[in-house]
Amino acid sequence: MTPRSPTTANRLALLVPAALIAGALGSQYIGGLYPCEMCHWQRWPHYAAIAVAAVAFATQGALRRALVLFAALLIAVSGGIGVFHAGVEYGWWPGITTCTSTVRPTGSTEDMLAQIMNAPLIRCDVPQWTLAGISLAGFNAILSLAGAVVVALKAMKR
């Protein structure tokens, strides 16, 4: 027995986090915006949602629906982290992390010192980019939470 064709919810459960990750990676590798620690936190649930939604393509019925709903939950978790991160950026509450550096502990002591001196220090409480006053964390929160709601509603629709 072969699985029936994927549902719209299944497709969206894969597309929403994939598009948001593509945007994050594009802003990093094309736009030169280095992610802070909380930016990385927002990415992990999206990676997991992509994996869960991909597995859902090979299933059907109640299992597919459960996996798609789980992917929606993971997308919402990323949105929740985005709300927290945006709140830190806007000064609504303090963050729980230190700033992040791109230095990796490799090579000699001199190499590491050179990396430290040349590496950007990315602060979690200062947005690197905004549009209409909304930071990337804010956009992730908005798009992830809205996407999660749409995926969940589509998955629960008969």
Side-chain angles (χ1 to χ4, degrees):
M1 179 168 150
T2 60
R4 290 182 284 159
S5 65
T7 62
T8 301
N10 197 170
R11 289 184 189 100
L12 286 172
L14 184 65
L15 180 65
V16 168
L20 290 169
I21 285 296
L25 293 174
S27 69
Q28 179 179 347
Y29 292 108
I30 297 169
L33 300 176
Y34 294 96
C36 71
E37 187 173 355
M38 283 196 274
C39 293
H40 282 293
W41 294 354
Q42 293 171 75
R43 293 179 185 188
W44 288 109
H46 283 312
Y47 292 135
I50 291 167
V52 169
V55 169
F57 277 95
T59 65
Q60 60 184 348
L63 179 57
R64 177 181 286 167
R65 177 176 288 160
L67 288 172
V68 169
L69 287 171
F70 184 51
L73 176 65
L74 290 166
I75 296 166
V77 166
S78 178
I81 297 169
V83 168
F84 179 75
H85 187 187
V88 170
E89 291 175 335
Y90 300 140
W92 297 341
W93 45 72
I96 58 174
T97 184
T98 58
C99 294
T100 303
S101 176
T102 58
V103 175
R104 302 290 174 242
T106 59
S108 68
T109 305
E110 292 82 21
D111 291 340
M112 286 181 53
L113 182 58
Q115 286 183 46
I116 290 169
M117 297 308 290
N118 294 320
L121 183 64
I122 308 304
R123 294 181 50 168
C124 294
D125 62 342
V126 177
Q128 293 187 58
W129 181 88
T130 61
L131 177 65
I134 302 172
S135 68
L136 289 173
F139 277 110
N140 180 59
I142 293 165
L143 296 172
S144 293
L145 292 172
V149 167
V150 169
V151 170
L153 289 174
K154 290 279 188 187
M156 293 172 41
K157 186 178 177 182
R158 293 263 176 207

